[in-house]
């Protein structure tokens, strides 16, 4: 069995094929969040009645994943992130327990002597510790773990029209990744510690978008910000009103860093040796790329960085949220094929 898990800070997604290569892909997705409720008989009975999976602590009950969104009405406190600031928390046992439960729910039972699970590691800090913990979770499910870069596998998923060569950009909740590949092999890549969550937080702060709990404490209402931001009315090239103009400025700041990273990667000697001066296609994925006007906004940033002459085109993919997990599965299937036929791989 070959499986894939994209450990995203907004959602954790898995993909696998039930039977053989070429079979339809099964995809599961769980939100990377949880809500905390009092550990009382009333709440436990309510969750049991609705068959809601949850994790019990001493004084609280945590409802996690997609159920956290559906049961949010039970609490006036916004949901919390399982990945604290983008990485696996070392001092939050309930969050680590919920990660284990989510892995058990979205990974199929292993069905062969050799089972491989290719996965991404979130965040920029403590990545080695996060990778070690996530690898242990995957091994507990009966799979051999293999960590790879999100931006590298995005090219495998969407780069067939350009011979799997070019620049891939993946924007997540906490980080953005940029990779330059030739024939499906990454020449260089970088992780940038900025993503959509930064924009959401700044929007909520700037425009005082809050929700209040029972005691009157104010919390940033990031869910409301996301709903507004993801509306089809939003367009980075046609901002109407102060809030939309602020959104465009925030995107511009984030895309500036991405364009700067691409400029630095293109200047590296090994990249110049691999790709020369040929013009490259840019593939963009991740939920934040779905907003109208994204490709044009990034193109402008490439112009500002004086690398527009190296760019053939900039496009966003049709299903930006699923690109990475599909690329992970492709990477796993290629790895398994190479292991079965090592002579051919050489």
């Amino acid at each position: 069995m070959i499986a894939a898990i994209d450990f995203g800070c907004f959602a954790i997604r898995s993909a696998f094929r039930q039977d053989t290569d070429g079979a339809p892909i099964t995809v599961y997705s769980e939100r990377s969040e949880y809500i905390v409720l009092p550990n009382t008989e009333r709440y436990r009975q309510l969750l049991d009645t609705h068959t809601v999976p949850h994790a019990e602590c001493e004084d609280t009950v945590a409802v996690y994943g997609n159920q956290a969104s559906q049961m949010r009405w039970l609490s006036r406190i916004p949901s919390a992130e399982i990945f604290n600031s983008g990485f696996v928390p070392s001092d939050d046992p309930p969050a680590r327990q919920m990660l284990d439960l989510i892995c058990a729910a979205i990974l199929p039972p292993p069905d062969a002597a050799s089972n491989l699970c290719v996965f991404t590691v979130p965040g920029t800090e403590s990545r080695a510790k996060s990778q070690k913990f996530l690898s242990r979770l995957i091994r507990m499910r009966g799979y051999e773990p293999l960590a790879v870069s999100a931006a590298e596998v995005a090219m495998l998923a969407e780069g067939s029209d350009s011979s799997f060569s070019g620049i891939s950009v993946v924007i997540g909740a906490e980080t953005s990744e940029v990779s330059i590949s030739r024939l499906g092999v990454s020449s260089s890549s970088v992780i940038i510690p900025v993503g959509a969550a930064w924009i959401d937080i700044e929007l909520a702060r700037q425009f005082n978008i809050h929700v209040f709990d029972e005691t009157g404490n104010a919390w940033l209402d990031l869910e409301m910000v996301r709903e507004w931001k993801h509306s089809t009315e939003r367009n980075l090239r046609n901002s109407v009103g102060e809030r939309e103009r602020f959104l465009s400025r925030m995107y511009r700041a984030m895309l500036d860093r991405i364009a700067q990273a691409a400029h630095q990667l293109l200047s590296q000697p090994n990249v110049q040796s691999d790709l020369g001066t040929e013009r490259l296609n840019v593939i963009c994925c991740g939920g934040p790329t779905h907003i109208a006007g994204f490709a044009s906004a990034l193109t402008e940033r490439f112009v500002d960085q004086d690398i527009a002459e190296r760019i053939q085109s900039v496009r966003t993919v049709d299903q930006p949220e699923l690109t990475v997990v599909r690329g992970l599965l492709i990477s796993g299937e290629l790895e398994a094929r190479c292991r079965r036929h090592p002579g051919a791989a050489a």
Side-chain angles (χ1 to χ4, degrees):
M1 172 71 76
I2 308 299
I5 301 183
D6 178 20
F7 285 103
C9 295
F10 177 76
I12 300 172
R13 300 181 176 93
S14 71
F16 54 91
R17 300 184 195 273
Q18 291 285 4
D19 298 313
T20 58
D21 291 348
I25 297 175
T26 298
V27 176
Y28 288 128
S29 178
E30 289 283 344
R31 290 283 292 268
S32 307
E33 64 182 17
Y34 64 96
I35 58 172
V36 176
L37 305 171
N39 191 357
T40 65
E41 183 177 356
R42 173 194 171 198
Y43 281 104
R44 290 196 302 271
Q45 287 181 346
L46 181 62
L47 296 177
D48 291 339
T49 300
H50 291 82
T51 62
V52 176
H54 56 276
E56 292 192 20
C57 309
E58 291 185 4
D59 301 320
T60 59
V61 174
V63 179
Y64 57 89
N66 297 338
Q67 296 290 347
S69 300
Q70 299 173 15
M71 305 301 291
R72 190 173 289 126
W73 58 275
L74 289 173
S75 174
R76 299 189 66 177
I77 300 176
S79 57
E81 301 173 349
I82 291 180
F83 293 110
N84 183 16
S85 300
F87 55 89
V88 177
S90 59
D91 56 351
D92 189 350
R96 295 163 78 91
Q97 178 187 359
M98 286 180 275
L99 280 172
D100 182 33
L101 294 171
I102 289 175
C103 280
I106 66 176
L107 270 181
D111 64 357
S114 177
N115 298 280
L116 179 67
C117 181
V118 184
F119 69 103
T120 58
V121 181
T124 56
E125 299 180 3
S126 303
R127 285 179 64 86
K129 292 182 179 179
S130 294
Q131 180 174 331
K132 182 178 180 180
F133 177 77
L134 296 175
S135 295
R136 185 162 65 248
L137 294 186
I138 291 170
R139 286 194 184 94
M140 290 170 59
R141 306 272 78 82
Y143 288 83
E144 175 191 348
L146 177 63
V148 297
S149 161
E152 292 178 23
V153 299
M155 182 60 69
L156 295 178
E158 293 287 346
S160 59
D161 292 342
S162 57
S163 300
F164 304 101
S165 300
I167 302 174
S168 51
V169 176
V170 177
I171 303 179
E174 296 289 345
T175 61
S176 300
E177 296 189 33
V178 183
S179 178
I180 300 181
S181 301
R182 179 178 181 273
L183 301 178
V185 179
S186 177
S187 298
S188 189
S189 62
V190 65
I191 301 175
I192 307 166
V194 64
W198 172 66
I199 296 177
D200 298 340
I201 291 171
E202 292 303 318
L203 270 166
R205 287 174 175 170
Q206 178 71 20
F207 295 96
N208 295 315
I209 304 173
H210 294 98
V211 62
F212 296 88
D213 63 20
E214 293 84 351
T215 59
N217 294 318
W219 303 77
L220 295 178
D221 193 347
L222 301 182
E223 190 65 25
M224 181 178 291
V225 170
R226 295 187 190 107
E227 290 179 2
W228 174 84
K229 186 180 68 174
H230 292 158
S231 169
T232 55
E233 299 175 1
R234 307 286 87 81
N235 191 318
L236 297 178
R237 305 293 298 151
N238 186 26
S239 301
V240 178
E242 184 180 356
R243 189 185 295 185
E244 290 191 8
R245 286 191 289 271
F246 185 84
L247 174 66
S248 295
R249 290 196 298 272
M250 297 302 295
Y251 257 90
R252 189 180 305 120
M254 179 176 67
L255 296 181
D256 270 335
R257 298 190 63 176
I258 290 173
Q260 291 171 9
H263 188 175
Q264 294 170 358
L265 293 180
L266 288 170
S267 301
Q268 294 179 359
N270 62 307
V271 173
Q272 295 177 353
S273 175
D274 287 344
L275 296 168
T277 59
E278 64 180 279
R279 302 185 70 181
L280 304 174
N281 293 305
V282 181
I283 297 170
C284 305
C285 64
T289 69
H290 208 268
I291 190 170
F294 179 90
S296 297
L298 181 55
T299 300
E300 287 187 354
R301 307 280 72 76
F302 286 146
V303 172
D304 290 344
Q305 290 295 319
D306 295 324
I307 57 173
E309 72 280 357
R310 296 297 313 276
I311 306 302
Q312 179 70 33
S313 67
V314 178
R315 71 176 178 92
T316 56
V317 303
D318 293 334
Q319 294 181 303
E321 300 90 350
L322 300 180
T323 299
V324 171
V325 75
R326 289 196 300 108
L328 288 169
L329 187 59
I330 293 170
S331 177
E333 292 175 342
L334 291 174
E335 174 68 20
R337 191 173 304 169
C338 290
R339 293 182 181 186
R340 290 195 301 265
H341 307 287

